[in-house]
Structure formats: C-alpha cells, structure tokens
Amino acid sequence: VMFFIFFLSSIIRLLVLFFLWTAIYSSATNIDGFNYKEIITYICLGQILNSLYGSFFIEGTIAEKIRDGTISMELIQPLDFHLRRFFEVIGFVIFQGGFVALLTLGISIFFFRIAPPKDYIHLILFIISIFFSILINFSISYTNGLLSFWTTNLWGLVTSKNMIQALFSGLLIPNCFFPGWLQKISDMLPFQSIIYTPVSIYLGKMDYSKMFYMLGIQIFWAVFLWIMTKILWNLAKRQVTIHGG
C-alpha cells in the first residue's frame, strides 16, 4: 500500500508541475535559456531523482529507534550505526525508490516526451552526479535524524528540511531562475547538488569547466557532510535517553 501511495504522490507532483510550467510557457518560448521541452525534461528528471531520495525514511527510522529503546541494542553492537543506515538507504533506493523512479521515467518518456541527454559523456557524468547526490541527501537526512537524540518530536524539523530542500535543490524551479541574491544563498548550501546539478549536466546547461567545477562541489559536500555526520553521531550517542523497554 505504501508503495502505491508513494508512486501516486510522485505522479501527482509531476502533473502539477507539468501543468504549471505549461501555463507559464504558453506566453514564452524561452526563459533563462530553457525552452519548453527542456523545462519539462527538467521537472520530470527532478521528480525521478526525488523518487529515489523519497524512499530514504532515514529520519523516521532513527527517531523510532530512540522512542522504542532499540537504539540501546544498536549502541552495543559492533556494526557501525552510520554505515548500517547508509546500506539500508541503498536498499530502499534500489528496490522501492528505484522502481518508482523507473515507472516515472517510463511515463516521462512516453507521455511527456522528455529530451535525451546531450551526448553520452553528459549521460555518464549525470550518472556519476546522481551517486554524489545520493550521498549528500543521505547525510542531510541522517543529520536531521540524529537530532532526535536532542528532541523526541522530529516532525517539525523534517517538514522544515523538506521545504528548504525542495526550494534550494531545484526540485520546484531551476536554481538559475532565482534572483541574484537568492542564487548566492543557494550556492553556499549543499542542496543544489541534489537535483539542479545532475539535471543541468544531463541537459548540457553547463560547459565542461562548469560541469567539472559543479562535480567538484558535489564531492566536497559529500565528503564534508559524511565527516560531519560521524562527528555528530559521536556527540549524539552521549545524549541517549531511552523511552522504551
């Protein structure tokens, strides 16, 4: 049941964005370098990638382990808590998120006629970029989940994070459409590496120097956030208060 709800919500979001951008482009042929076909391709790929990330549920998993007390067993086991959550996420990405993403891709190809990648080099770099975006998104969600060690009510934090990420990742609108001051804020945050960077690479919206620069930014955030989650975990496990049996 959860799978069908997840899939249905992904398609509804895609349809809403499709009709929205169709209405916007009814009076324009090109906006900030994006023609109509490119913007439709952009939102389709954005929703496909979001389907992968939407399968994480990592914050809820960590919060539940703290509430029911099973975190105590995690702390005494020799398995690394961080890596265990990461491989759980990879499993979700492959089996649940990946399946929804493939279904959404099929719909995008046959119904929305999305554009192919600029060339095979851009396709390869797009796939590499997706890998780093998964690492970045995992670390952001994992960090948010670790805050359950300090607060037992995570709903507000998750909602706020999802709203901020939806805006600055480029899920709703390409970051290059932002006014200058908002683009500067976006450039200082890791979120654009999640959606905007990989999809822009796919569409060929960057020259090679810009592409490799953005990939370098992704690598920086992936490594930096991974290290920060390790540090935060060491701090968080000192705050354990068990609410279960």
Side-chain angles (χ1 to χ4, degrees):
V1 175
M2 287 300 297
F3 170 81
F4 289 107
I5 294 174
F6 184 39
F7 173 65
L8 184 61
S9 64
S10 179
I11 296 303
I12 291 173
R13 286 194 302 268
L14 178 56
L15 287 173
V16 169
L17 288 172
F18 170 76
F19 288 119
L20 174 63
W21 284 107
T22 298
I24 293 172
Y25 272 81
S26 64
S27 58
T29 56
N30 191 292
I31 301 176
D32 285 342
F34 280 76
N35 59 38
Y36 176 71
K37 190 176 186 67
E38 288 173 334
I39 197 66
I40 295 303
T41 301
Y42 182 95
I43 64 168
C44 287
L45 291 177
Q47 288 302 313
I48 289 167
L49 293 181
N50 193 55
S51 296
L52 291 178
Y53 311 142
S55 65
F56 281 15
F57 305 130
I58 187 68
E59 291 130 321
T61 299
I62 296 174
E64 185 62 28
K65 287 182 178 297
I66 294 173
R67 281 195 298 267
D68 64 18
T70 55
I71 190 67
S72 60
M73 297 302 298
E74 298 272 358
L75 292 172
I76 64 175
Q77 289 177 357
L79 299 175
D80 184 86
F81 184 83
H82 187 211
L83 285 178
R84 192 168 183 174
R85 301 289 81 78
F86 176 69
F87 285 113
E88 284 177 357
V89 161
I90 294 301
F92 280 125
V93 167
I94 293 172
F95 293 105
Q96 180 168 305
F99 193 53
V100 172
L102 285 174
L103 289 175
T104 308
L105 176 62
I107 291 172
S108 299
I109 292 173
F110 290 107
F111 291 96
F112 300 117
R113 307 293 182 183
I114 63 173
K118 185 175 182 180
D119 53 44
Y120 73 92
I121 295 177
H122 284 77
L123 178 60
I124 292 171
L125 293 177
F126 170 65
I127 294 170
I128 293 172
S129 182
I130 289 174
F131 170 74
F132 289 116
S133 72
I134 289 173
L135 287 177
I136 292 167
N137 198 48
F138 165 76
S139 292
I140 293 172
S141 297
Y142 180 81
T143 297
N144 214 30
L146 288 181
L147 296 179
S148 297
F149 282 88
W150 287 274
T151 174
T152 55
N153 185 2
L154 198 64
W155 183 86
L157 290 171
V158 172
T159 302
S160 299
K161 188 268 292 185
N162 288 342
M163 292 176 63
I164 294 170
Q165 184 167 309
L167 174 63
F168 287 107
S169 69
L171 176 63
L172 304 177
I173 178 174
N175 294 44
C176 60
F177 286 16
F178 291 166
W181 64 271
L182 195 56
Q183 283 192 38
K184 290 180 181 178
I185 294 174
S186 176
D187 289 343
M188 294 186 292
L189 301 173
F191 301 110
Q192 68 173 346
S193 293
I194 296 172
I195 300 288
Y196 178 70
T197 295
V199 178
S200 295
I201 289 173
Y202 176 95
L203 289 170
K205 291 299 178 182
M206 306 173 182
D207 57 31
Y208 280 100
S209 61
K210 179 69 171 179
M211 271 198 303
F212 286 111
Y213 171 77
M214 295 304 290
L215 283 170
I217 293 295
Q218 280 191 303
I219 293 171
F220 165 77
W221 280 117
V223 174
F224 175 77
L225 291 173
W226 189 273
I227 293 172
M228 291 304 297
T229 56
K230 288 285 191 179
I231 295 172
L232 186 60
W233 164 246
N234 288 329
L235 294 173
K237 61 186 179 181
R238 300 174 188 172
Q239 305 294 322
V240 177
T241 300
I242 304 300
H243 294 278

